[in-house]
């Protein structure tokens, strides 16, 4: 009896030990699925950058026989503001949300100030309510598109002899951007947003105003829920070698300003504005410094065809030419320096020399027989976010500012009287192959 009880006790103890060891082994062997930061939650932030405006200005008919004369005046200004919103991550690759933002621009349109006239109109600020949807290139890096409603506030609009009025013009907002976690709950972003008005504002002087804007900004956001981790497992990031040669293609949207300075006392007209799509190629070489930094050189060419028009500067006749200058393309040779927010995502700044291929229209400047064109010396500054798609391909979003430091001189009513000097603000997206 005693022997039987002892044997049973030993057997039960052995079974309990085996069960406990099995459970412990399961706990050790079963791997935990890796997750990234959470994109679901509220966020707030600040942003700053450049704003280029293209102000449509129509002088409407006031009596029989008059015709509408339409201008596009340009303006450039620094932009800064705040934003906040909410995002929801609904898979391991997709994020959608909404955002509110306010941006101060304070741009003054005074195209005829040298002739004794004052401010025509000011653009003071832009607010927007937008939705965005994006793809997680890596668990920490989002590339997205934006669509929303915006209001562009116009101020100091001349009306009558002494009065001014203000008006907020409704507009559609369309944009692209990239955002990546830098550390902790803090993210960095690069965005390019275009604002297209729904309607024009017309004052009592039979003048209408039609504001178009391109904002290219960099920003920082604080995400309140990021540290809790994503609800979705992540896939392993591409193992890209960032050092060495690369080459790629890009597409862009560009806003241009063209200052047309006349070498005559009291005369200066512009700047005039233009918008254009662009496409180009680039190539470069990068060196990785340690595990966190990169430095490299890059060269590129982009076809732009930004066309600048003045409907009355040449002649008031209906069939007279209005196109006076075109920026056909840009060349660049820049240095870039970057920081790896993750092993697969680079945040960088760039700057260097550029050239703007500028052409004067011979039909507008009658004394310039055969026309005139020149590659104008310029400088270029910008910033971007680039993330690996595979171990060879990367996707980049960047904003660039390019400004000519010399001008193209053409002949008007006197020999060598007019100088054309352009600048550009560009939002660009590109795809690169790393050799």
């Amino acid at each position: 009896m005693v022997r039987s009880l002892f044997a049973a006790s030993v057997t039960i103890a052995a079974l309990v030990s085996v069960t406990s060891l099995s459970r412990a082994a399961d706990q050790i062997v079963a791997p935990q699925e890796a997750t990234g930061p959470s994109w679901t939650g509220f966020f707030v932030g600040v942003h700053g950058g450049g704003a280029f405006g293209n102000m449509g200005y129509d002088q409407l008919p006031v009596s029989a026989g008059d015709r509408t004369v339409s201008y596009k005046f340009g303006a450039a200004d620094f932009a800064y503001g705040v934003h906040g919103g909410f995002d929801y991550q609904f898979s391991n690759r997709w994020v959608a949300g909404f955002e509110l933002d306010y941006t101060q621009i304070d741009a003054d349109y005074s195209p005829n100030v040298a002739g004794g006239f004052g401010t025509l109109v000011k653009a003071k600020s832009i607010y927007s309510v937008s939705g965005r949807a994006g793809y997680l290139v890596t668990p920490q890096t989002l590339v997205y598109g934006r669509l929303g409603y915006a209001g562009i506030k116009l101020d100091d609009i001349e009306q009558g002899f002494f009065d001014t009025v203000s008006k907020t013009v409704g507009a559609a907002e369309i944009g692209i951007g990239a955002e990546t976690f830098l550390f902790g709950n803090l993210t960095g972003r690069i965005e390019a947003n275009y604002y297209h008005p729904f309607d024009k504002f017309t004052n009592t002087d039979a003048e209408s105003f039609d504001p178009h804007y391109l904002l290219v900004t960099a920003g920082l956001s604080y995400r309140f829920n990021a540290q809790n981790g994503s609800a979705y497992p992540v896939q392993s990031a591409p193992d890209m070698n960032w050092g060495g040669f690369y080459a790629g293609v890009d597409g862009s949207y560009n806003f241009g300003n063209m200052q047309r300075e006349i070498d005559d006392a009291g005369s200066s007209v512009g700047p005039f504005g233009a918008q254009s799509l662009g496409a180009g190629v680039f190539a470069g070489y990068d060196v990785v410094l340690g595990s966190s930094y990169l430095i490299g050189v890059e060269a590129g060419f982009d076809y732009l065809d930004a066309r600048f028009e003045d409907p009355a500067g040449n002649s008031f006749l209906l069939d007279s030419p209005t196109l006076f200058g075109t920026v056909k393309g840009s060349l660049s040779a820049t240095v870039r320096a970057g920081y790896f927010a993750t092993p697969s995502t680079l945040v960088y700044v760039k700057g260097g020399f550029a050239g703007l291929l500028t052409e004067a229209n011979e039909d507008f400047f009658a004394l310039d027989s055969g026309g005139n064109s020149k590659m104008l010396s310029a400088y270029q500054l910008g910033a971007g976010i680039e993330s690996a798609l595979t171990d060879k391909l990367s996707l980049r979003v960047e904003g660039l500012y390019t400004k000519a430091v010399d001008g193209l001189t053409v002949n008007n009513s006197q020999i060598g009287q007019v100088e054309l000097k352009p600048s550009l603000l560009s939002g660009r997206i590109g795809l690169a192959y790393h050799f």
Side-chain angles (χ1 to χ4, degrees), residues 344-368:
S344 299
T345 300
L346 178 72
V347 180
Y348 62 91
V349 294
K350 64 191 302 186
F353 299 103
L356 294 175
L357 180 57
T358 304
E359 182 178 275
N361 181 14
E362 64 175 307
D363 294 327
F364 190 94
F365 300 102
L367 295 182
D368 251 42

Side-chain angles (χ1 to χ4, degrees), residues 292-418:
S292 299
Y293 301 98
L294 175 148
I295 189 167
V297 293
E298 183 174 302
F301 171 77
D302 280 86
Y303 176 76
L304 304 172
D305 198 33
R307 302 165 68 87
F308 298 86
E309 300 190 43
D310 183 352
N314 183 61
S315 171
F316 283 97
L317 298 177
L318 286 174
D319 58 350
S320 63
T322 61
L323 176 69
F324 69 87
T326 305
V327 177
K328 302 295 290 185
S330 69
L331 290 170
S332 62
T334 56
V335 175
R336 72 171 185 166
Y339 166 76
F340 288 105
T342 75
S344 299
T345 300
L346 178 72
V347 180
Y348 62 91
V349 294
K350 64 191 302 186
F353 299 103
L356 294 175
L357 180 57
T358 304
E359 182 178 275
N361 181 14
E362 64 175 307
D363 294 327
F364 190 94
F365 300 102
L367 295 182
D368 251 42
S369 178
N372 199 353
S373 64
K374 182 181 179 181
M375 181 66 76
L376 301 179
S377 298
Y379 64 86
Q380 186 175 91
L381 302 171
I385 294 176
E386 184 171 359
S387 191
L389 296 175
T390 70
D391 59 354
K392 292 292 185 181
L393 288 176
S394 65
L395 180 70
R396 60 166 62 175
V397 175
E398 62 181 16
L400 298 169
Y401 173 67
T402 310
K403 182 176 177 62
V405 296
D406 64 353
L408 168 61
T409 302
V410 294
N411 299 324
N412 194 25
S413 59
Q414 301 173 18
I415 301 298
Q417 190 188 25
V418 180

